Amino acid sequence: MRDLIEIQQKLLPDLVDVLRKRYMLLQSIFHLQPIGRRTLAQVSSTTERILRGEVELLKEMGLLSFTAAGMSVTEEGQRVLERLEPMVAELFGLTELAQRLQHRLKIPEVIVVQGDADRSEWVKQELGRVGARVLKQRIRERDVVAVTGGTSIASLAEHLTPSPVFRSVQFVPARGGLGEKVELQANTLASVMAAKTGGTYRLLHVPDRLSPDALQALLDEPQVVEVLELLRTARIVVHGIGDALVMAKRRKYSPQELEELEQTGAVSEAFGYYFDEAGEIVHRMPTIGLQLEDVRKAEVVLSIAGGASKAKAILSFAKQSCQSVLITDEGAARALLAEGNEKEGEQP
Amino acid sequence: MRDLIEIQQKLLPDLVDVLRKRYMLLQSIFHLQPIGRRTLAQVSSTTERILRGEVELLKEMGLLSFTAAGMSVTEEGQRVLERLEPMVAELFGLTELAQRLQHRLKIPEVIVVQGDADRSEWVKQELGRVGARVLKQRIRERDVVAVTGGTSIASLAEHLTPSPVFRSVQFVPARGGLGEKVELQANTLASVMAAKTGGTYRLLHVPDRLSPDALQALLDEPQVVEVLELLRTARIVVHGIGDALVMAKRRKYSPQELEELEQTGAVSEAFGYYFDEAGEIVHRMPTIGLQLEDVRKAEVVLSIAGGASKAKAILSFAKQSCQSVLITDEGAARALLAEGNEKEGEQP
DNA sequence: TATGCGCGGGACATTTTACGTCCCTAAAAG
DNA sequence: CTTTTAGGGACGTAAAATGTCCCGCGCATA
């Protein structure tokens, strides 16, 4: 049966959403019966008319009965509720997870894909695919999109497809060189995204490990300044969230630096900033680019991070409360919720 | 698994249809890949635009890939196909049954509901519910609906619901008294339907067992003539199909009459006519009303009959080839197809 | 018994979506 | 090199979904 559900989600993703909607509606009616349209619309946070369409269909299917006092669930309706209940967890596992995350992290939209990026390679692909879809649906003419580096964003870039709206879109790396492999650097990914979509891109070429003086000198370079100004106007920010120590190692921090970082309690990394569990900045990479306050000004902040090992990092970065959409996976979501519950247990 | 589908279908009536459509589409692409939209539209007997919507969704889900040469199924798509294959038989059992019946009986639309009316009481209810839905969707302003008697039609009547279009609709009994219980007579059902829908009805009160002379006399009655004329203009005919002997007994034929009827090879009954296996009229009730040629002139002829025991009767009446919609059940459908195959085996 | 209140259901303008249709450019195929 | 066929874009129209309001009717309360 698990099989069938998975296939349904692949083949009829739209219908599964509808199914969830109807199920929850039926459940609400069952609990509140008899109840009228208008009251129910408020409770279900939907409009009267849209609810009406649904209840009329449920009535057609013989699951609801209408009286002058309001609508009630028929016996058949109850049977449907009962028999569907054990499947709901499986059917809506992911969407339910997403909703719980949405609530706990206070992020407007959360999408959870199946699997665990730590365990299966293909989950990263899935994250990228979904991320690409979200970006495509959020994009507008003449947008400036700030992008960071990392494996998740690389996967997103790979899954982008051309579209006319992208013609006028600029992809700009969020920060300068961050000492990663070239195929994971923001500069590279900005160019890949531009190539995949038909958009244009800018580069922010700042060598790794600059001295503060050299940095200051670069900030006087017109080319650099121009890109930085463009970055600040970014309406969309696409970024990954990293585990602090993992990122630091990938960026070839020395053992000593690593230990210092660990001392600060850093757990997450984004845009070259390192945050501790409370969401406080405890360290930042010596490079230039998008500042955290710029991210806050962006209309759409799309975060991608998967794998149970990323749970703490996601939770930490969510404290910034600047995200619009979080795309993660089942593994991270479950780990995150488990952790969150422990914390809550400590201070009830 | 069967469970899941059934329940889901209560909340999502067209789930299986969509699933089947998408599955077949994916399968077609797999066999013909790489293939273009227009070519595929012809093969799948659909329009280009509607197919486009589907393939774009399948592409979004990562099941299809597009190249300049046409579209192809991705590995993920193949995986879906393979995993869905073993479920197809179960999933599409009923729709497939319906299609086979449609083909064998040459009826434009066939609907098969689950179960066997001979074995489970609730199947009759289901037949009625579906029948009511079909009637509601076929009805038009100012229609004249001719209705017969019988348990199936009674069930349909019970499941009708009011709707503004029915205001101008007239329900007319197809034939005069036929010696059944009053709650199963056409007259009664016409009035029930009118009451349930908000329509109006006419009665055709002809006493049982009239002598030919008396019949003739009634045919001169203005009241009777008026209803008969109305009947001939019926755009929709709703009727059941009976087993010849069962109906005869229900109409209190004497043992002698029964034996005579049996001699003629009568197997089915409808509108008071009795037909043999070849579909020939072998007997008719001595009453007045809708003639078979009037049925042929009707635009919509909705037949309802369920239960394996009705298989022969359904097959027999289908020879009239005047039906538009047949609503039956799994039991009847399987029995009918089995019987049909035997007959074919005799004369290949 | 009188009287609101909330009910389902109808009606209708408006928005949004789906669909049919045609065109364009690019890449295979001949 | 030409021709055919591909996917993708564009756009007007038809159809469905939706927002909004109204109505008569039971039920509950006064």
Side-chain angles (χ1 to χ4, degrees), chain A residues 24-315:
Chain A
M24 290 177 134
L25 193 60
L26 195 60
Q27 206 174 27
S28 299
I29 298 173
F30 181 65
H31 284 128
L32 302 169
Q33 63 186 310
I35 186 174
R37 273 206 317 264
R38 285 166 267 262
T39 317
L40 184 59
Q42 288 185 318
V43 173
S44 313
S45 61
T46 172
T47 68
E48 180 193 334
R49 196 60 181 78
I50 206 167
L51 180 140
R52 192 161 163 179
E54 297 296 333
V55 296
E56 272 174 1
L57 187 138
L58 292 179
K59 173 185 157 203
E60 280 291 306
M61 297 311 294
L63 307 182
L64 290 183
S65 65
F66 288 75
T67 68
M71 31 197 168
S72 312
V73 177
T74 63
E75 283 184 32
E76 176 108 26
Q78 290 183 37
R79 220 171 301 136
V80 169
L81 277 176
E82 283 164 22
R83 287 174 64 188
L84 199 53
E85 205 205 67
M87 310 177 189
V88 168
E90 278 191 82
L91 257 181
F92 312 139
L94 300 184
T95 39
E96 197 212 342
L97 266 182
Q99 285 178 334
R100 283 164 61 193
L101 281 189
Q102 196 175 322
H103 182 252
R104 184 177 301 282
L105 302 181
K106 307 270 193 299
I107 298 175
E109 185 177 348
V110 175
I111 300 178
V112 179
V113 307
Q114 208 213 339
D116 186 328
D118 292 343
R119 301 181 181 204
S120 330
E121 179 48 35
W122 52 268
V123 175
K124 268 262 153 64
Q125 298 302 311
E126 193 72 9
L127 285 168
R129 226 173 40 69
V130 174
R133 202 176 61 199
V134 172
L135 178 59
K136 199 170 176 178
Q137 88 190 20
R138 296 281 189 136
I139 202 77
R140 292 209 297 240
E141 294 277 351
R142 289 179 297 284
D143 268 345
V144 173
V145 181
V147 301
T148 69
T151 54
S152 302
I153 306 302
S155 171
L156 186 154
E158 283 304 318
H159 285 89
L160 282 169
T161 51
S163 175
V165 283
F166 281 112
R167 289 276 173 77
S168 56
V169 170
Q170 288 184 292
F171 293 93
V172 188
R175 305 213 61 161
L178 284 171
E180 300 184 53
K181 292 180 197 158
V182 68
E183 67 268 24
L184 297 181
Q185 283 178 15
N187 278 315
T188 316
L189 297 184
S191 77
V192 171
M193 289 186 185
K196 289 276 181 183
T197 57
T200 56
Y201 67 98
R202 307 299 297 267
L203 290 184
L204 188 60
H205 249 311
V206 181
D208 295 339
R209 301 278 168 161
L210 277 179
S211 68
D213 290 343
L215 259 179
Q216 197 52 51
L218 269 177
L219 284 175
D220 292 324
E221 280 288 322
Q223 265 195 18
V224 172
V225 173
E226 189 194 330
V227 174
L228 287 177
E229 304 234 305
L230 196 60
L231 263 181
R232 296 212 176 81
T233 69
R235 200 182 70 88
I236 301 188
V237 176
V238 176
H239 75 104
I241 301 173
D243 178 80
L245 297 180
V246 171
M247 291 307 288
K249 277 176 199 153
R250 191 187 292 169
R251 287 163 183 172
K252 296 161 196 139
Y253 273 35
S254 70
Q256 190 196 335
E257 288 171 291
L258 276 175
E259 198 175 318
E260 283 174 21
L261 188 63
E262 204 166 352
Q263 292 292 331
T264 65
V267 292
S268 69
E269 181 280 339
F271 311 105
Y273 292 84
Y274 289 80
F275 307 88
D276 65 12
E277 274 192 13
E280 296 296 327
I281 302 173
V282 292
H283 176 68
R284 51 194 294 185
M285 289 288 291
T287 187
I288 56 182
L290 197 69
Q291 304 299 308
L292 207 51
E293 56 258 38
D294 300 327
V295 177
R296 286 215 174 75
K297 282 187 290 188
E299 282 181 45
V300 178
V301 178
L302 202 165
S303 315
I304 306 193
S309 62
K310 288 276 185 77
K312 282 189 182 181
I314 294 171
L315 190 56

Side-chain angles (χ1 to χ4, degrees), chain B residues 37-38 47-50 52 68 162-164:
Chain B
R37 274 206 316 264
R38 286 166 267 262
T47 69
E48 179 193 335
R49 195 61 181 74
I50 207 166
R52 194 162 160 178
S163 174

Side-chain angles (χ1 to χ4, degrees), chain B residues 145-347:
Chain B
V145 180
V147 300
T148 70
T151 54
S152 302
I153 305 302
S155 170
L156 186 153
E158 284 304 319
H159 285 88
L160 282 169
T161 51
S163 174
V165 284
F166 281 113
R167 289 275 173 77
S168 55
V169 170
Q170 288 185 291
F171 293 94
V172 189
R175 305 215 60 164
L178 283 171
E180 300 184 52
K181 293 179 196 158
V182 69
E183 67 267 27
L184 297 181
Q185 283 179 15
N187 277 316
T188 315
L189 297 185
S191 77
V192 171
M193 288 186 186
K196 290 274 181 183
T197 57
T200 56
Y201 67 98
R202 308 298 299 265
L203 290 184
L204 188 60
H205 248 310
V206 181
D208 296 339
R209 302 276 168 163
L210 279 179
S211 67
D213 290 344
L215 259 179
Q216 197 54 49
L218 269 177
L219 284 176
D220 292 325
E221 280 288 323
Q223 266 196 16
V224 173
V225 172
E226 189 193 330
V227 174
L228 287 178
E229 306 234 300
L230 196 59
L231 262 181
R232 295 210 177 82
T233 69
R235 199 182 70 88
I236 301 188
V237 176
V238 176
H239 74 105
I241 302 173
D243 178 81
L245 296 180
V246 171
M247 291 307 289
K249 276 176 198 154
R250 190 186 294 169
R251 287 164 183 170
K252 294 160 197 142
Y253 274 35
S254 70
Q256 191 196 334
E257 286 169 314
L258 276 175
E259 197 174 319
E260 284 175 19
L261 188 62
E262 203 166 357
Q263 292 292 332
T264 65
V267 291
S268 69
E269 181 279 339
F271 309 104
Y273 291 84
Y274 290 80
F275 308 87
D276 64 12
E277 275 192 10
E280 297 294 331
I281 303 171
V282 291
H283 176 66
R284 53 195 291 187
M285 290 288 291
T287 186
I288 57 182
L290 197 70
Q291 303 300 307
L292 207 51
E293 56 258 38
D294 300 328
V295 178
R296 286 215 174 73
K297 281 186 291 188
E299 282 181 44
V300 178
V301 178
L302 201 166
S303 315
I304 306 192
S309 62
K310 288 277 185 74
K312 281 189 181 179
I314 294 171
L315 191 57
S316 156
F317 184 72
K319 296 266 164 57
Q320 300 303 320
S321 57
C322 62
Q323 296 159 289
S324 315
V325 190
L326 168 66
I327 298 169
T328 185
D329 61 15
E330 213 177 340
R334 293 198 192 282
L336 203 155
L337 287 169
E339 183 144 301
N341 285 334
E342 277 174 27
K343 296 286 181 210
E344 276 197 349
E346 285 173 20
Q347 310 167 336

